[in-house]
Each structure stands twice: as C-alpha cells, then as structure tokens.
Amino acid sequence: MKKHQKTLLVALPLVAAMSLTGCNMNPDDLANLGMKGLKAATLSDDEVKQLSKDSCAQMDAESKVASANSAYSKRLKRIVKSLGNRIDGTPINYKVYITKDVNAWAMANGCVRVYSGLMDLMTDNEIQGVLGHELGHVALGHSKKAIQVAYATEIAQDAAAASGNAAIASISKSKLGALAKAVINSQFSQKQEQDADNYSFDFLVQKKINPAGLATAFDKLGGGDSSILSSHPSSKSRAENIRKKLAEIKR
C-alpha cells in the first residue's frame, strides 16, 4: 500500500472523531476511536481475511444461496473448473445467490459470489471473464483496501452512535452485513478497474481460455453502482481495451 493511501485510511476516523466533539464523547472515547482507525489502516493479511470471511458468511446468511444440486451451482462448478481453485495461494470458494440482480464480487479471503441474474444474462465464457476480473481485484490487493476503507467507515458510524462513556461496540452481525455491502458496492478507481480487466485478460490467456468473453460481457453490462458494473471507466471503453489486446495477440 502506498504511503499516502495509508494516511488517508488513518485520517478518516480521526476526522470523524474531531467532528464529534460536540457529542458527549470524552477524550478516552476519542483516543479509542483514533486507535481503532489506525488498526483499520494496518490490519494484517490474516485479519483482513478473517473480516472478509465473517462478512461473507453474514452475506450468505442474508441471501438465498443456490443448493449444490441446483442447475446454477452445477453450471458454475463447470465454468470455474478451468479457472482453478486458488489465486496466489488463496483458496477460492464459489457460490451462487438466487436473485435477479446482475452482479458478481470477490473478497480478500477468496469468497466469490455470482448472482443468478448475471448467469442468466451471460454465456459461460463471459462469466469466466467476469470472474477473472473479480479475482484480479483479490490478487492485486484491491479487495484488501476496500475492506480496510469499509471497516474504517463502520468505526466512524459506531462513533456517531456512541455517547458519553459508551465504548465502541465490537462488530455485530448487522455490522458485518453492512461491512460486506460496503465492500460489494465499493467504487474502485479507474486504474484499479483497468488493472483488474487486464489481469483477467492475462489470467484467461494463461489458463488457455478465450478472453473474448470479457469484452462481450462488458457489452452486456452497461453502467451501475457495484464494482463490475462501474461506469468509471465506461463498459464501452473497457470492452474496447479488451478487443485491442485481443487484436495484439493475434498478430
């Protein structure tokens, strides 16, 4: 993580604490908030993965997960067979959520969830492209940064809800759910999205999978609020980037 990025993560809860001096929070509360903000910025890889695991488990509990015998689960199992079940040493766990929403996401612990709405919309090859993109966010450290920012945000919200000598509460199931949703809806930077797209392309080529599905997936996606649906950069420009790379490897 770059130095200026780490500073930003630390500053977020500290600024929030300063803005709360009008509340009944004493200096000890504010100090605790600052220390927890520092903790959020310096979470170890194991801590990030544990938070991701707990958040993903909470999302599973709140969602309709396809059974292992469902047509969706069987199809996904077939699709991901060629992708492998590890990324940079991290084991990957795939599941399908039964929902009309069109999305897919991955967390730093290798938790990957695909929505049935996306599977209904896309071919097997397009889903491979989307999953390569999401795995790129994990491999490139974007998912780790996303949960650090989300965790810091949850700390600030806890502080806003606290008064007097009330301690900052440990993360409850509801907070884990909120943390997971914040990560799922993270708006990655344009560079992060492009880097994840390029990672997916190279990953698919390495696995001897046709990367063209990534371009046609973007053709179908359009814009939106979650990572894979992000309009920054636009789906059109992302598709063009993949087709340019396709043309280069065919020369």
Side-chain angles (χ1 to χ4, degrees):
M1 180 181 292
K2 295 181 181 179
K3 184 176 180 181
H4 74 274
Q5 291 173 317
K6 183 177 290 187
T7 302
L8 173 63
L9 291 173
V10 175
L12 173 62
L14 289 178
V15 171
M18 291 172 65
S19 70
L20 292 168
T21 54
C23 301
N24 295 323
M25 295 186 70
N26 65 28
D28 289 339
D29 294 324
L30 297 178
N32 287 337
L33 177 62
M35 289 305 294
K36 288 196 174 185
L38 177 61
K39 179 66 173 176
T42 58
L43 291 170
S44 69
D45 287 346
D46 286 343
E47 289 170 328
V48 165
K49 288 182 179 180
Q50 186 61 52
L51 268 176
S52 300
K53 178 181 178 181
D54 293 343
S55 299
C56 187
Q58 186 59 33
M59 280 299 296
D60 286 353
E62 295 178 6
S63 304
K64 184 177 180 180
V65 180
S67 69
N69 293 325
S70 78
Y72 286 112
S73 295
K74 290 179 179 179
R75 182 186 174 200
L76 182 62
K77 184 177 181 179
R78 183 177 68 251
I79 289 171
V80 303
K81 185 176 182 179
S82 56
L83 298 178
N85 58 6
R86 301 184 78 85
I87 191 76
D88 292 344
T90 298
I92 306 302
N93 171 257
Y94 297 96
K95 289 184 181 179
V96 179
Y97 285 173
I98 303 299
T99 171
K100 293 181 179 180
D101 295 339
V102 177
N103 202 9
W105 47 267
M107 291 193 183
N109 68 317
C111 164
V112 178
R113 300 296 180 259
V114 184
Y115 293 9
S116 60
L118 182 138
M119 296 185 72
D120 290 338
L121 179 67
M122 297 190 174
T123 66
D124 290 2
N125 186 229
E126 289 166 347
I127 294 171
Q128 288 173 323
V130 168
L131 291 177
H133 170 93
E134 294 302 328
L135 292 175
H137 281 311
V138 175
L140 298 172
H142 304 161
S143 299
K144 176 182 177 179
K145 293 175 184 177
I147 202 163
Q148 286 176 315
V149 172
Y151 186 52
T153 302
E154 289 306 311
I155 290 171
Q157 291 173 347
D158 284 342
S163 62
N165 294 320
I168 303 299
S170 59
I171 297 183
S172 62
K173 288 184 177 180
S174 62
K175 283 296 182 182
L176 282 172
L179 182 66
K181 290 179 178 67
V183 174
I184 293 167
N185 294 319
S186 293
Q187 288 292 300
F188 294 113
S189 70
Q190 179 170 334
K191 184 178 187 304
Q192 287 175 321
E193 293 288 17
Q194 289 178 333
D195 286 348
D197 292 347
N198 292 336
Y199 179 96
S200 180
F201 183 93
D202 295 339
F203 178 73
L204 295 173
V205 170
Q206 180 185 6
K207 295 290 184 178
K208 302 187 184 305
I209 299 170
N210 185 0
L214 183 59
T216 55
F218 287 134
D219 290 338
K220 292 180 179 180
L221 283 172
D225 294 329
S226 53
S227 63
I228 189 62
L229 303 177
S230 174
S231 58
H232 303 289
S234 70
S235 294
K236 181 180 178 181
S237 66
R238 295 166 77 177
E240 289 173 350
N241 172 51
I242 297 303
R243 290 192 170 98
K244 180 180 179 181
K245 294 172 72 68
L246 276 167
E248 289 173 353
I249 65 172
K250 290 179 180 178
R251 290 176 183 172

